[in-house]
Amino acid sequence: MTLAYTPRMAISHHFFDAYSRLPKQTQNKVSNFMMKFTQDPTQTGLNYESIQNARDKNMKSVRVDDKYRAIVLKPDQGDIYLLLWVDNHDNAYAWACRRTCLINQVSGAIQIIDINEVQATTEKLSSPQTTPTVPGRFVKISDEDLMALGVPSILLPAIRQVVSDEDVEAILPHLPPEASDALLMLGAGYELTEVKKQLDKTLPAQPIDTQDFGAALDRDDTLGQFMVLTDDDALQEMLAAPLEKWRVFLHPSQRKLINRNWNGPVRVLGGAGTGKTVVAMHRAKWLAQNRFTEPTDKILFTTFTRNLAEDIQLNLRSICPSEALQRIEVINLDRWVVQFFKQEGMEIKIPYGNELENLWEQAYTVAPMELGLSLNFYQDEWQNVVLKYGCQSLKDYLQARRTGQGKRLSRPQKQQIWEVFEEYRSLLREKGYWEADEAMQKAAQLIHNQGSDLLPYRAVIVDEAQDMSQSAFQLIRAIAGPEHDNDLFIVGDAHQRIYGKTITLSQCQINIVGRSRKLRLNYRTTDEIRQWSAAILRDTSVDDLDGGRDSLTDYRSLLHGENPIIQGFSSQQEEFQAIGDRLAHFQAQNYPLSSICLVFRTHKILDSYQQYLKSQDFKTKVIEADKADKNQQLDHVRLATMHRVKGLQFDYIFLPSLNYNILPLQSVLEKCADESSRNRFIQGEKCLLYVAATRAKKQVFASYFGKASDLIQ
């Protein structure tokens, strides 16, 4: 339904922040006020009041009830109303008195500035104790360029005092979101031209009228901060779930990735918590609503594991209209392959875990003992050479590159080794089994032979790309067909690679030159958690999914909180007791236990903790593989393995039993065939711990008993 009023109205993300913290009864009153307000913001009875001592004379107070007030910006020019804040009377007035709402003279974005905080930061950075004797970090960047990147003019004096990394971090919380990425990149040493290119920063075509809020509402940087209302349904939807701000408020750098035509494949990198999956979901929605809109057009959204696909499907329901949702197919790639072969009249099974281990043990019985090669060597060689390069014959294997495999092999040795691989493949086929990579290679071949036009997909969205194999991306390229506009949108982070597959997109006929972007702001965790987690990977070299290197040096969080707590105990019983006491403390404060997750390296340790917590009358819920945690309102402590917790988030994460023999997992480490495979495994374990820790929004509690893991020293 179209709104009845003719003025334009928008709601700031600050308003929804404030609304979400109100008591439920008051929220209902605010909702009623907003529905009334949107029908006609000029009607009598709204009681607009000027705010004494306000920095911005355009800010007015509007009565919600006897105790609560909303803060509205009503510019003199144009029929524009901006809802900025809601709170009890005194707090609402105090909020308004500290702030101004203005239009950036160069970028043209609407920006809300806390003048008191800006002044305090400027004074701190320019105090005699901190005044630098070296040039400022941004001395070569002009005021106009800084403002074009989103820096408000009022913050320029503070920016000029920035010298160190610590200064950069001090200034970030005071910047509008559209400026944060740019200052991070400049502070990390990027050239101005590269920053503008990466962030798609272009100046408005016309000179900026700093009084024209109507024109400013149409600019991308503004839309990262304001929801422009067009109908009652949109408002009602937002009021029903105000905490899910990501459904409407996207960072400008995210919005520019989503709402545009790309002339080929796109790769988006970003550290944990930077919103990669959110961007991927919004991209799927945008394509379904704006580009591939025919009833027969489908978009494939694929990821590595079934449980992640379940989680994504659940979240897409929150942001997509039903018609668009029906045309977005969310499925993990292994499952898609099985269904594809079924449609082709071929029943296959993809085995995992113990099923594969049993077959390998049988195949190993034909291994030539004189070579002295362990079972683990054959498994490692199979994964990283035979499957990676699609070796179907001894000739293929003899020609395959073994870069990074450690042990050198002669041609006669390779001939003997191939006999084990032939036996293993024969055992697979006897049971109707295909390993995932083999099945993907076969599926890609069939699609190439038949033509991708037979498939309904107009675009493919790939999440958790770092865990996909080369065979997976060759299949994804085949599914998407020959390169075309908006064909592939790939998001990932090799710092979170926990399944050990390094790929180069260009070798899979996926050309991302000129279409590579990176997200740098962590919206989930505090910077304290970010620093502790990133330190785990400090000495680890990480790829960018296309043959280059990636780094966390330009990755920050704007949130701050408590440092992670690391504790050691003499026994597991002591660790049990300490964690039980901490959970009891949360329970006594009526803190929702569903916001707490205990994360473990193995199922065996998880089981021992579940038994202990049950003995202490704590209600627990294990987050199972291949299932989404749908009943999130169930107030039970969550338990999960490090692999399963990927893609989820909680207020508090506990990481128990980080012992030297558990992380890295000693039982696997001892079986590594050589130093190369050992190093790969240890790097994977570091990534696993990094992933687990960065699920926390507020704090991490890490613990061990006996000797601690080297990874947390």
Side-chain angles (χ1 to χ4, degrees):
M1 179 173 66
T2 303
L3 293 173
Y5 61 83
T6 54
R8 292 187 73 192
M9 183 173 175
I11 307 177
S12 162
H13 80 89
H14 294 288
F15 187 94
F16 285 106
D17 278 340
Y19 175 88
S20 68
R21 290 193 287 267
L22 297 176
K24 187 64 177 177
Q25 186 175 2
T26 304
Q27 283 186 354
N28 293 334
K29 291 182 179 180
V30 173
S31 298
N32 292 334
F33 153 76
M34 292 177 71
M35 296 307 297
K36 178 182 176 183
F37 188 82
T38 57
Q39 291 303 310
D40 182 4
T42 66
Q43 62 187 279
T44 58
L46 288 176
N47 298 323
Y48 284 87
E49 296 180 3
S50 296
I51 300 171
Q52 190 174 4
N53 300 322
R55 306 287 188 115
D56 190 332
K57 300 305 179 184
N58 287 332
M59 285 193 191
K60 307 294 181 184
S61 164
V62 182
R63 185 178 185 274
V64 175
D65 65 9
D66 292 340
K67 294 182 179 180
Y68 284 83
R69 298 290 185 273
I71 302 300
V72 179
L73 189 86
K74 175 61 185 81
D76 291 335
Q77 178 180 320
D79 248 347
I80 304 294
Y81 294 82
L82 307 181
L83 273 174
L84 304 181
W85 190 254
V86 62
D87 213 329
N88 66 54
H89 180 284
D90 291 349
N91 289 343
Y93 275 60
W95 186 92
C97 286
R98 292 169 59 96
R99 288 168 173 82
T100 185
C101 185
L102 49 79
I103 297 174
N104 185 302
Q105 300 100 303
V106 181
S107 74
I110 299 176
Q111 299 175 327
I112 300 173
I113 310 297
D114 186 324
I115 296 178
N116 290 13
E117 286 189 357
V118 169
Q119 290 175 342
T121 302
T122 304
E123 290 172 7
K124 179 181 178 182
L125 290 174
S126 59
S127 66
Q129 292 83 4
T130 59
T131 300
T133 57
V134 296
R137 182 70 66 91
F138 308 115
V139 67
K140 295 182 180 180
I141 313 297
S142 70
D143 286 354
E144 184 176 22
D145 280 328
L146 286 170
M147 293 176 68
L149 295 173
V151 176
S153 59
I154 194 173
L155 264 168
L156 289 173
I159 295 292
R160 294 303 177 197
Q161 300 299 320
V162 169
V163 174
S164 65
D165 288 343
E166 290 74 17
D167 293 342
V168 173
E169 294 191 18
I171 204 76
L172 282 178
H174 310 296
L175 292 169
E178 64 268 24
S180 301
D181 264 346
L183 265 292
L184 265 179
M185 293 179 71
L186 290 172
Y190 286 78
E191 294 295 330
L192 177 63
T193 52
E194 179 64 16
V195 173
K196 289 182 176 181
K197 177 184 175 183
Q198 284 285 321
L199 301 181
D200 294 319
K201 291 287 187 182
T202 55
L203 293 179
Q206 302 298 325
I208 299 299
D209 180 349
T210 57
Q211 302 304 311
D212 190 349
F213 280 81
L217 276 177
D218 294 326
R219 296 183 182 117
D220 281 343
D221 285 352
T222 298
L223 296 175
Q225 297 289 288
F226 287 87
M227 173 189 177
V228 180
L229 292 180
T230 55
D231 55 59
D232 289 338
D233 292 340
L235 176 60
Q236 289 174 339
E237 184 182 356
M238 277 302 295
L239 291 175
L243 294 178
E244 296 181 41
K245 291 192 306 177
W246 57 268
R247 296 164 61 189
V248 172
F249 297 112
L250 293 165
H251 187 282
S253 61
Q254 295 175 330
R255 185 179 293 277
K256 288 175 181 178
L257 291 173
I258 295 162
N259 301 347
R260 65 172 286 180
N261 279 313
W262 291 95
N263 63 350
V266 180
R267 180 209 61 194
V268 180
L269 300 176
T274 53
K276 297 183 298 299
T277 301
V278 169
V279 165
M281 289 191 290
H282 278 277
R283 177 64 175 172
K285 175 189 175 185
W286 187 84
L287 288 175
Q289 291 184 302
N290 296 279
R291 289 298 174 267
F292 305 128
T293 58
E294 295 297 322
T296 55
D297 290 344
K298 295 197 72 173
I299 295 164
L300 179 63
F301 193 127
T302 191
T303 188
F304 186 71
T305 62
R306 185 176 296 189
N307 58 268
L308 284 174
E310 293 272 355
D311 295 332
I312 289 165
Q313 181 71 56
L314 199 63
N315 286 321
L316 274 172
R317 291 189 192 126
S318 300
I319 66 171
C320 286
S322 58
E323 190 279 331
L325 186 64
Q326 289 172 5
R327 294 187 292 105
I328 302 173
E329 180 182 349
V330 185
I331 187 170
N332 73 299
L333 201 58
D334 287 12
R335 192 174 180 185
W336 186 93
V337 169
V338 171
Q339 291 184 4
F340 172 78
F341 276 115
K342 188 173 183 179
Q343 292 169 358
E344 295 293 310
M346 181 178 172
E347 295 281 349
I348 72 163
K349 298 176 184 177
I350 296 179
Y352 305 96
N354 289 335
E355 292 175 308
L356 290 178
E357 198 65 33
N358 291 337
L359 294 182
W360 270 116
E361 288 176 359
Q362 293 181 55
Y364 188 58
T365 61
V366 305
M369 292 299 102
E370 64 271 18
L371 293 180
L373 299 174
S374 67
L375 171 59
N376 189 261
F377 167 84
Y378 288 96
Q379 293 171 320
D380 192 64
E381 186 81 355
W382 171 265
Q383 286 292 328
N384 294 302
V385 180
V386 178
L387 290 184
K388 182 175 181 178
Y389 296 108
C391 299
Q392 296 297 316
S393 66
L394 173 60
K395 180 182 177 182
D396 294 338
Y397 180 52
L398 291 173
Q399 294 175 345
R401 292 180 298 168
R402 300 185 62 258
T403 306
Q405 282 305 101
K407 186 177 180 63
R408 295 178 63 86
L409 297 174
S410 66
R411 189 178 183 88
Q413 286 175 322
K414 283 187 174 184
Q415 290 175 321
Q416 290 178 283
I417 290 168
W418 183 253
E419 294 175 8
V420 179
F421 297 149
E422 281 190 322
E423 177 68 12
Y424 175 62
R425 187 171 270 154
S426 174
L427 291 169
L428 283 170
R429 298 297 181 268
E430 285 176 11
K431 292 182 172 291
Y433 288 168
W434 287 66
E435 280 211 29
D437 281 325
E438 282 193 296
M440 290 174 191
Q441 291 164 5
K442 181 67 173 178
Q445 184 181 19
L446 287 173
I447 294 169
H448 283 306
N449 292 341
Q450 298 173 0
S452 60
D453 291 345
L454 297 176
L455 299 175
Y457 309 111
R458 303 297 303 277
V460 181
I461 312 290
V462 183
D463 191 29
E464 302 292 354
Q466 72 280 350
D467 287 325
M468 299 283 195
S469 66
Q470 182 162 308
S471 301
F473 274 107
Q474 289 168 344
L475 172 59
I476 288 165
R477 175 73 277 173
I479 293 170
E483 184 176 305
H484 60 273
D485 290 356
N486 305 309
D487 56 346
L488 290 172
F489 194 86
I490 299 162
V491 302
D493 173 23
H495 298 92
Q496 299 183 67
R497 180 181 288 123
I498 60 177
Y499 293 101
K501 295 180 173 69
T502 302
I503 57 98
T504 302
L505 291 173
S506 60
Q507 294 178 357
C508 305
Q509 290 72 55
I510 298 174
N511 175 22
I512 58 169
V513 175
R515 294 181 297 272
S516 301
R517 297 294 185 269
K518 188 173 182 180
L519 300 171
R520 295 171 175 82
L521 289 178
N522 183 330
Y523 302 98
R524 177 169 61 228
T525 68
T526 65
D527 209 53
E528 289 74 14
I529 295 171
R530 178 201 65 80
Q531 290 186 56
W532 186 78
S533 304
I536 297 166
L537 299 173
R538 183 181 293 122
D539 300 322
T540 301
S541 178
V542 172
D543 65 279
D544 67 353
L545 312 184
D546 200 39
R549 297 290 95 192
D550 190 24
S551 168
L552 294 175
T553 56
D554 54 355
Y555 165 59
R556 294 289 187 278
S557 173
L558 302 183
L559 306 172
H560 284 277
E562 300 295 328
N563 285 315
I565 292 177
I566 299 92
Q567 289 182 290
F569 302 95
S570 60
S571 67
Q572 187 176 40
Q573 191 59 41
E574 281 190 20
E575 188 182 52
F576 280 159
Q577 183 67 48
I579 292 177
D581 290 346
R582 200 175 289 276
L583 291 175
H585 176 72
F586 279 115
Q587 200 169 42
Q589 294 181 319
N590 293 319
Y591 199 87
L593 296 183
S594 58
S595 298
I596 301 169
C597 187
L598 277 62
V599 185
F600 308 91
R601 178 59 183 88
T602 68
H603 287 282
K604 184 177 180 181
I605 303 170
L606 185 154
D607 292 341
S608 67
Y609 260 87
Q610 186 176 31
Q611 291 176 17
Y612 172 76
L613 293 175
K614 284 183 176 179
S615 74
Q616 302 300 304
D617 297 324
F618 287 106
K619 293 180 179 179
T620 63
K621 182 178 187 299
V622 176
I623 304 176
E624 299 177 27
D626 298 338
K627 292 182 181 178
D629 186 12
K630 295 180 180 179
N631 192 2
Q632 296 179 5
Q633 302 305 314
L634 189 66
D635 196 25
H636 293 183
V637 178
R638 269 35 178 190
L639 308 178
T641 64
M642 289 182 175
H643 286 87
R644 177 57 186 93
V645 80
K646 189 171 188 176
L648 304 180
Q649 59 183 27
F650 298 88
D651 287 350
Y652 295 95
I653 288 288
F654 285 75
L655 299 170
S657 302
L658 298 182
N659 300 357
Y660 81 99
N661 60 336
I662 293 174
L663 199 76
L665 195 61
Q666 197 69 24
S667 59
V668 177
L669 195 62
E670 291 173 349
K671 296 179 181 178
C672 289
D674 51 40
E675 194 64 23
S676 179
S677 61
R678 180 184 175 89
N679 289 338
R680 280 199 300 270
F681 179 70
I682 292 174
Q683 179 164 327
E685 295 288 274
K686 289 180 179 180
C687 292
L688 200 56
L689 180 57
Y690 171 79
V691 167
T694 52
R695 303 307 96 193
K697 293 191 285 185
K698 294 184 177 180
Q699 195 168 17
V700 170
F701 301 98
S703 59
Y704 60 92
F705 59 91
K707 185 179 178 181
S709 165
D710 290 339
L711 304 192
I712 61 169
Q713 291 302 312

